[in-house]
Amino acid sequence: MEPVETLEGWYCMHLLWSIDGASWRKVTFEHQQEMVHQFQLLLDDFVQTEAKGNGSHYVFNVSGHKADLGLIILRETLAELNEIELQLTKLPLFDYLKRGTSYVSVTEVGTYTGKPKSDKGWAYVNQHLKPELPDKPYICFYPMSKLRIPGANWYTLTYDERRQFMHDHGTVGRTYAGKIWQYITGSIGLDDFEWGVTLFAETPLMFKKIIAEMRYYEASSVYGEFPYFVVGTHMDNAGLQKMFLENWEA
């Protein structure tokens, strides 16, 4: 079977942590402030690096029990992501955070519809391979894979069958232009599932709408596997202050 050619860009790491509240409450307010400040200084360093076009990041407050703090980092190489992860681990603040789910992938654009044939087309592709993540208020991330079971094996379909299924899928996605900002990252050989999907929106209802609608198309309804979802809200420095410094009295 003919595999689809993919275009790759920056490496991507999704990181989640939960606050160890029992330990954090034992820390003096002044020490809490200093630790949060150190984290914010590192985030400021990220901004300076990214201003030169060398990556992007997004900080968010996770909804639900899966985590409290979420961070997405994009860089040109996997080694840079590993270095950033080590920098975070060395910060005193992270002594009070419990490591949760992580996801490693690389930005990806498929070519079922062919490669771009114009400068405008390549500009669109490059925006997804080396993106500046939007500071939209809501985020949804989920990994996914294509099934490989009897009667529903994506990898035994012909190229033309897969191309048609993905065309139908993409047609739905394009109706949400201006409502959803979507980034696909490939993770075959890099993590437990095959792709990561990261969505940004002005309202979380858009996540429900687009995912529910896509479920009725065969690329998802027959061949898709979606193990979990993470949603949250964007956080700036004020949001970090609120998360770590308000209402933590013992």
Side-chain angles (χ1 to χ4, degrees), residues 147-154 222:
L147 291 177
R148 297 188 304 280
I149 60 175
N153 189 331
W154 179 259
V222 176

Side-chain angles (χ1 to χ4, degrees), residues 94-166:
F94 287 77
D95 291 341
Y96 298 90
L97 300 181
K98 299 175 182 178
R99 188 185 292 265
T101 299
S102 66
Y103 205 81
V104 179
S105 53
V106 61
T107 56
E108 176 183 302
V109 173
T111 60
Y112 279 118
T113 57
K115 292 183 180 179
K117 297 179 174 63
S118 66
D119 290 343
K120 182 179 179 180
W122 277 111
Y124 173 83
V125 167
N126 287 329
Q127 286 175 359
H128 285 76
L129 295 181
K130 298 181 178 181
E132 179 181 349
L133 297 178
D135 59 353
K136 300 299 177 183
Y138 296 99
I139 180 174
C140 173
F141 168 73
Y142 58 95
M144 64 164 294
S145 294
K146 294 299 188 186
L147 291 177
R148 297 188 304 280
I149 60 175
N153 189 331
W154 179 259
Y155 295 96
T156 60
L157 296 175
T158 67
Y159 185 92
D160 286 341
E161 287 173 323
R162 286 180 277 123
R163 179 173 57 188
Q164 184 60 52
F165 288 151
M166 294 307 295

